[in-house]
Amino acid sequence: MQAGTCFPSPFPSWAIPALVVLALGWVAVRAGIGPTLPCGSDAVIHLLRVVQLDHLWAQGVFYSRLAPDMGWGYGFPVFNFYPPLSYYVVLLIARLIGDISLGFRITLALTFLMAGLGVYVLARDFFREEAAVVAAVAAMYAPYVAYNPLYRGALPEAMGWALLPWAWWAVGRAVRTGQRGWIAAGAFIFGALLLTHNLAAVVAAPLLTLYALMEVLSSSFLPLRRRALSAGITLGLGMGLALLFWIPAWAERSLIQWENAIYGFPGGYQAHFLSWRELLTALEPVRSDLVNPTLPRSLGLIPLLLGVPGLLGLVFFRGARRRAVVFFAAACTVAALMTTSLSRPLWRAISYLHIFQFPWRFLGPAALSLAFLVGATVELLPGLRWRYPLVGLMVLALVAASLGWLWNAQYCPGWDRVSMGSLYTWEQTDPGVSHSEFRPRGVRQWPSQPATGWFDLSALPEGASLRQGQTGPLSAGAWVETPRAFEVVVNRFFYPGWRAWVDGRPVEITPEAEWGRFTFPVPAGRHHIAVRFGETLLRLAADLLSALSLLGLVIVLFGDRLRG
């Protein structure tokens, strides 16, 4: 064999750097898994929604807009308004390991790696490997990336922001190459983001559209028309995949007490702007002496100091790298300003922004965009003699600056084993349940007791009897014998989608005036009654549009093979 002969690597060029990213993320991942559930204000809520879905899965219901056991057993239309994709990820992991609580914590930890690897693949399209790795570290150890899973337990939002760099990456490649595979990948990831978290989706959609527009207007070997068509198909199919959720959620928003979420907390959005001191917090000391530490929601001074030099790329970079720096610098700046009182006039003028509840939520896209700029700083170092020691110091600084956010996290025992009993117990002790934003509009007075059975036996006339028949999570049947006609009261909150039958014939249902349950008439005699929750015509139309979008995705991906 001749000297100097090189053996081809058995691994793709990105494999080892990606493994380095995973290894560097271990500190964040360990904090995410923790010894037990983080004491975040939202952690228990999201965990118990997973418990509800697991209970539905066990009964053969794999998708439901209704959470039939929530709201004291009267049923809340939670999943008609809150996208459930992150809960399904937890369920898949929980089914593999046999533990819902641990599956939830593992998924929280995975959001760190998802954010880091997403920024890595995005930055790798523009920069060298070491720059992409440092950008990934900046994303994994961004203070706000830690704040959502560790201090709020807000899994859906954490996963939504973690999917954003993946969507930028896939949509960018779809537009630049026009290849079927990248168009399908971009549409799929965009659709997944839209089905993960409402507010992350509302911010991500225009950011992705602007990013795609930048790529369309950039010079490329593809003609402009081809790039525009690729962008339109990618974004259109992605939105189409999510229509089964977004059309009913938007059209039916007036049917629930959504204002409880928007204005149901002290001070409203105006009390949650960040000061410049909070936004630029440098280091958060580890305080093991505090029982429940309150950490600032921050962009982080260290990531900012390491990202600002990346703006020199506006001078030294050319072509695609320069455009990328312009885009992410603008995204970071605008998103960061939206968290401060400087944006107050905009919040007042656009009432739609109030659904965000907290202006500091814009730290999500700001932190990810800043991580890209940190990668741009590293990309400017190749000519320096001490480049690699500087890169190592940058990584150490980013990790060290985040330790206060990671190690100050508090964990609450008592949630290692959860079941439907945990859901019932928690709801009856939490006063917020009766003021939930998912409470149907017709529920004017909260029930005095939890639902006991499907039908209210106290509403039976004298001499009548009811024998329960076959029941499921979303349906029930019974035999009724009554000496006179009366109204059956069903122990479920009225919401469009409920239907009733008497002896197999559909009957009209009527919302109850007091507790918001629903009733239907039963004539004298012996009859079989049944109720079931299902799709409305609007929801079926939305389901059909998403199914057609999925078919379109398959045609895009396998069109040539299908023709063959």
Side-chain angles (χ1 to χ4, degrees):
M1 183 178 294
Q2 296 181 355
T5 300
C6 295
F7 292 97
S9 172
F11 305 106
S13 60
W14 52 263
I16 293 178
L19 289 174
V20 170
V21 170
L22 293 175
L24 291 172
W26 171 247
V27 176
V29 168
R30 188 66 190 86
I33 296 176
T36 183
L37 190 72
C39 296
S41 56
D42 294 340
V44 172
I45 296 173
H46 294 302
L47 175 63
L48 293 178
R49 288 177 188 171
V50 176
V51 171
Q52 170 71 96
L53 285 177
D54 180 71
H55 187 59
L56 289 170
W57 275 30
Q59 299 174 84
V61 178
F62 299 104
Y63 179 74
S64 172
R65 299 180 185 275
L66 188 74
D69 299 291
M70 302 190 83
W72 279 19
Y74 292 98
F76 279 160
V78 174
F79 307 117
N80 193 56
F81 297 95
Y82 205 98
L85 183 60
S86 62
Y87 303 146
Y88 284 105
V89 175
V90 175
L91 273 179
L92 291 174
I93 295 174
R95 289 296 175 108
L96 288 174
I97 64 176
D99 189 324
I100 292 178
S101 182
L102 180 57
F104 185 85
R105 288 153 44 204
I106 289 174
T107 312
L108 283 176
L110 287 178
T111 61
F112 290 96
L113 297 182
M114 288 174 62
L117 288 173
V119 171
Y120 165 74
V121 296
L122 174 65
R124 191 174 180 270
D125 277 354
F126 301 95
F127 305 141
R128 293 178 175 85
E129 291 287 357
E130 62 266 27
V133 169
V134 177
V137 173
M140 288 189 293
Y141 291 94
Y144 190 69
V145 170
Y147 183 78
N148 266 322
L150 298 182
Y151 294 90
R152 295 181 61 216
L155 172 62
E157 183 175 345
M159 185 173 289
W161 294 131
L163 282 170
L164 179 56
W166 288 97
W168 272 327
W169 170 65
V171 169
R173 286 201 164 195
V175 178
R176 288 194 298 271
T177 67
Q179 294 178 1
R180 293 174 178 270
W182 287 116
I183 291 174
F188 181 80
I189 296 173
F190 182 33
L193 196 161
L194 294 175
L195 292 172
T196 300
H197 188 255
N198 308 58
L199 303 182
V202 170
V203 175
L207 284 175
L208 278 169
T209 302
L210 290 173
Y211 187 74
L213 182 62
M214 179 193 74
E215 293 288 1
V216 168
L217 299 177
S218 303
S219 58
S220 169
F221 67 91
L222 288 180
L224 176 63
R225 182 178 178 182
R226 177 74 179 276
R227 297 197 301 272
L229 183 62
S230 298
I233 293 175
T234 304
L235 297 176
L237 286 178
M239 287 188 284
L241 291 174
L243 288 178
L244 84 164
F245 169 80
W246 280 95
I247 288 179
W250 180 259
E252 299 176 8
R253 67 192 186 282
S254 63
L255 301 180
I256 60 170
Q257 300 181 28
W258 191 247
E259 64 277 5
N260 291 342
I262 303 174
Y263 304 107
F265 53 94
Y269 73 88
Q270 299 190 59
H272 295 276
F273 287 112
L274 298 181
S275 67
W276 290 102
R277 182 178 180 180
E278 288 176 300
L279 186 65
L280 303 178
T281 297
L283 293 167
E284 184 61 30
V286 176
R287 297 291 305 277
S288 59
D289 58 315
L290 295 181
V291 176
N292 190 22
T294 55
L295 298 184
R297 306 163 188 92
S298 176
L299 197 56
L301 183 60
I302 300 302
L304 187 65
L305 292 176
L306 295 179
V308 166
L311 296 177
L312 292 174
L314 298 174
V315 177
F316 295 104
F317 293 159
R318 294 291 181 270
R321 293 193 301 174
R322 187 181 200 175
R323 289 190 296 272
V325 169
V326 169
F327 177 85
F328 289 108
C332 179
T333 302
V334 172
L337 289 176
M338 288 296 294
T339 70
T340 71
S341 58
L342 289 177
S343 64
R344 194 188 304 272
L346 195 60
W347 285 81
R348 287 175 177 170
I350 306 175
S351 59
Y352 181 72
L353 286 173
H354 299 176
I355 67 171
F356 285 84
Q357 301 171 300
F358 314 115
W360 43 256
R361 275 183 155 142
F362 280 90
L363 285 173
L368 296 169
S369 299
L370 182 58
F372 184 91
L373 295 179
V374 173
T377 299
V378 177
E379 184 69 6
L380 291 165
L381 299 179
L384 297 180
R385 181 178 178 183
W386 300 101
R387 173 169 55 123
Y388 289 112
L390 281 175
V391 169
L393 288 174
M394 290 176 70
V395 169
L396 287 175
L398 289 166
V399 175
S402 184
L403 291 180
W405 278 274
L406 297 174
W407 289 355
N408 276 328
Q410 300 293 301
Y411 300 91
C412 292
W415 294 100
D416 293 333
R417 290 288 181 267
V418 289
S419 64
M420 289 302 295
S422 308
L423 172 60
Y424 298 141
T425 301
W426 177 79
E427 282 203 331
Q428 292 179 46
T429 57
D430 181 26
V433 172
S434 61
H435 301 289
S436 170
E437 64 269 30
F438 303 111
R439 175 174 166 173
R441 184 70 60 186
V443 183
R444 296 180 176 86
Q445 179 181 340
W446 189 252
S448 59
Q449 61 184 14
T452 54
W454 273 87
F455 303 100
D456 187 353
L457 299 182
S458 66
L460 294 176
E462 186 177 354
S465 63
L466 184 146
R467 180 168 55 87
Q468 189 76 53
Q470 186 175 6
T471 63
L474 302 173
S475 63
W479 288 96
V480 174
E481 192 164 352
T482 175
R484 61 181 178 84
F486 77 107
E487 293 281 328
V488 170
V489 179
V490 183
N491 280 327
R492 294 296 183 269
F493 290 142
F494 171 77
Y495 194 78
W498 280 112
R499 295 179 178 84
W501 293 263
V502 175
D503 296 329
R505 293 188 297 272
V507 295
E508 184 177 358
I509 64 175
T510 305
E512 182 192 43
E514 186 181 12
W515 291 357
R517 299 174 295 179
F518 66 92
T519 69
F520 61 92
V522 175
R526 188 172 187 272
H527 305 280
H528 182 265
I529 60 173
V531 293
R532 185 174 71 242
F533 185 82
E535 298 286 67
T536 62
L537 288 177
L538 176 71
R539 295 174 204 156
L540 285 173
D543 296 341
L544 178 60
L545 289 174
S546 286
L548 292 174
S549 298
L550 181 60
L551 177 61
L553 190 67
V554 172
I555 291 173
V556 166
L557 191 58
F558 301 108
D560 290 337
R561 296 181 185 179
L562 292 174
R563 283 197 298 268

